């Protein structure tokens, strides 16, 4: 009888492997072994899907190594699925009562593994950036630190900052629509998404935790990009309005100052950059000299956004006088 060719043998073996029961603890070793074999993409896709379905059976500490292997195994279309499923897995861990400190530590390790994977495969970083720009990856408590981690690679620093600034702008526009219409606010509850402002604030605060400190340079770059948003006309009065709103007791659901959603998006964007950089300034001593240098360079060069940087300087002087 005629012997089957090598591709047929591999396809048959992988088909049996996908159908066979195996413990979640074996997934990392299995994924590593499969990468050493030339496997048809369709068969690989089935294997990746099965591994994603078994995430809840996996010890949290094993997740970073598995995600690294899955990103290398998955094709371009499946990478977004892998990232979304891992993000949903983190949400389930928190909903199931897993210690938030454990989840945060694992998430920090995952971000470091993703950064390493992108260093090994620049095409992976380009694919992730494309997904983020096209809406394949929305801003979530997982995807935001993931993108900021990738931004530590110099070639991705500016593109990631521009991508996140764009997503923040879209989020602020949506918040403005909801603030202007009770009907839209009610309709938006049907497909809730985390508010960009709250996500950014949460990420900056988490950067002071173990395993997240590598995000600090990317946070400074992002805050600077937000502050550099070209202002609309009447910038001075509107920035004063934002400052007044900051001092108000009332706040919106996403943590924004009351009434801020009705201000121009450019003003809100710069104000958010000011908040993030001021928080990083407070939490990280190493940020302070760089933040002041950035401020003075914008003022001396008469940058278009220099008024926003003056506002940042005023804010840190008033809120952190001893520092």
């Amino acid at each position: 009888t005629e012997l089957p060719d090598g591709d047929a043998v591999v396809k048959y073996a992988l088909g049996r492997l996908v159908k066979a029961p195996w413990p979640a603890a074996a997934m990392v070793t299995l994924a590593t072994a499969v990468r050493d074999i030339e496997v048809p993409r369709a068969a690989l896709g089935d294997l990746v899907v099965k591994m994603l379905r078994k995430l809840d059976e996996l010890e949290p500490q094993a997740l970073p190594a598995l995600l690294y292997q899955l990103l290398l195994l998955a094709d371009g279309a499946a990478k977004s699925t892998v990232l979304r499923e891992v993000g949903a897995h983190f949400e389930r861990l928190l909903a199931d009562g897993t210690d938030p400190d454990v989840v945060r530590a694992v998430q920090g390790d995952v971000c470091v593994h993703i950064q390493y994977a992108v260093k090994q495969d620049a095409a992976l970083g380009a694919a992730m950036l494309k997904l983020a720009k096209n809406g394949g990856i929305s801003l979530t408590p997982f995807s935001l630190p993931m993108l900021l981690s990738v931004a530590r690679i110099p070639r991705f620093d500016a593109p990631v900052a521009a991508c996140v600034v764009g997503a923040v702008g879209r989020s602020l526009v949506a918040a403005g629509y909801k603030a202007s219409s009770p009907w839209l606010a009610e309709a938006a509850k049907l497909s809730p998404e985390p508010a960009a402002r709250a996500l950014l604030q949460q990420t900056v605060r988490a950067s002071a935790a173990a395993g997240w400190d590598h995000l600090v340079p990317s946070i400074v770059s992002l805050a600077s990009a937000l502050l550099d948003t070209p202002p609309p006309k009447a910038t001075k009065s509107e920035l004063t309005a934002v400052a007044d709103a900051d001092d108000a007791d009332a706040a919106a659901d996403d943590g924004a100052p009351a009434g801020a959603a009705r201000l121009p998006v450019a003003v809100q964007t710069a104000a958010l950059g000011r908040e993030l950089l001021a928080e990083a300034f407070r939490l990280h001593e190493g940020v302070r000299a760089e933040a002041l240098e950035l401020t003075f360079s914008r003022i001396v060069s008469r940058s278009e956004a220099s008024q926003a940087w003056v506002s940042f300087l005023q804010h840190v002087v008033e809120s952190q006088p001893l520092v």
Side-chain angles (χ1 to χ4, degrees):
T1 58
E2 185 178 351
L3 293 175
D5 60 25
D7 286 347
V9 172
V10 170
K11 185 175 181 180
Y12 172 78
L14 276 177
R16 293 293 300 270
L17 181 62
V18 169
K19 293 178 182 177
W22 31 271
M27 288 198 292
V28 175
T29 304
L30 183 60
T32 305
V34 170
R35 283 185 52 218
D36 295 331
I37 308 170
E38 291 188 13
V39 180
R41 280 294 175 188
L44 269 182
D46 293 339
L47 187 64
V48 169
V49 168
K50 177 166 182 177
M51 288 184 172
L52 290 174
R53 288 174 179 167
K54 296 176 74 68
L55 285 180
D56 289 341
E57 303 174 24
L58 192 70
E59 288 294 324
Q61 289 75 11
L63 184 59
L66 177 63
L67 176 61
Y68 173 74
Q69 298 298 334
L70 290 179
L71 285 174
L72 296 179
L73 283 174
D75 60 18
K79 283 179 171 51
S80 61
T81 302
V82 171
L83 295 172
R84 281 197 297 268
E85 286 299 319
V86 172
H89 177 63
F90 279 120
E91 292 178 9
R92 289 195 298 272
L93 287 176
L94 291 172
D96 292 341
T98 305
D99 186 346
D101 291 336
V102 171
V103 176
R104 189 183 296 113
V106 172
Q107 191 172 343
D109 289 343
V110 163
C111 289
V112 171
H113 277 69
I114 291 174
Q115 182 189 131
Y116 181 73
V118 172
K119 286 181 179 178
Q120 302 300 309
D121 180 10
L124 170 60
M128 291 169 59
L129 194 58
K130 184 177 179 180
L131 286 169
K133 288 180 178 178
N134 297 338
I137 302 175
S138 58
L139 289 187
T140 67
F142 168 67
S143 67
L144 178 58
M146 175 192 70
L147 289 171
L148 292 176
S149 185
V150 172
R152 290 300 315 278
I153 302 171
R155 64 176 294 185
F156 292 109
D157 184 11
V160 166
C163 178
V164 176
V165 169
V168 168
R170 291 190 293 273
S171 175
L172 293 174
V173 168
Y177 282 132
K178 288 189 288 186
S180 64
S181 168
W183 179 84
L184 284 175
E186 191 64 27
K189 294 179 181 178
L190 298 176
S191 57
E193 290 187 1
R197 178 186 298 273
L199 276 177
L200 289 167
Q201 292 171 336
Q202 173 185 328
T203 303
V204 172
R205 290 172 188 140
S207 69
W212 287 58
D213 54 337
H214 71 288
L215 298 181
V216 174
S218 297
I219 288 171
V220 172
S221 295
L222 174 59
S224 299
L226 292 167
L227 271 165
D228 282 334
T229 303
K233 293 180 180 179
T235 304
K236 184 174 181 180
S237 62
E238 287 170 340
L239 279 173
T240 302
V242 174
D244 291 342
D246 282 345
D247 295 331
D249 292 332
D253 292 339
D254 64 352
R262 295 182 176 84
L263 293 170
V265 170
V267 174
Q268 294 185 62
T269 302
L272 179 55
R274 182 190 68 183
E275 293 172 24
L276 300 182
L277 191 56
E279 186 68 0
F281 190 95
R282 181 181 71 84
L283 292 171
H284 303 284
E285 185 176 352
V287 166
R288 294 168 188 169
E290 181 182 2
L292 292 177
E293 183 178 345
L294 288 168
T295 303
F296 299 145
S297 70
R298 297 308 195 278
I299 296 172
V300 170
S301 65
R302 296 175 182 267
S303 162
E304 189 178 15
S306 60
Q307 179 66 42
W309 287 88
V310 170
S311 179
F312 161 73
L313 183 59
Q314 175 186 351
H315 180 70
V316 294
V317 167
E318 291 177 348
S319 62
Q320 304 172 54
L322 297 181
V323 172

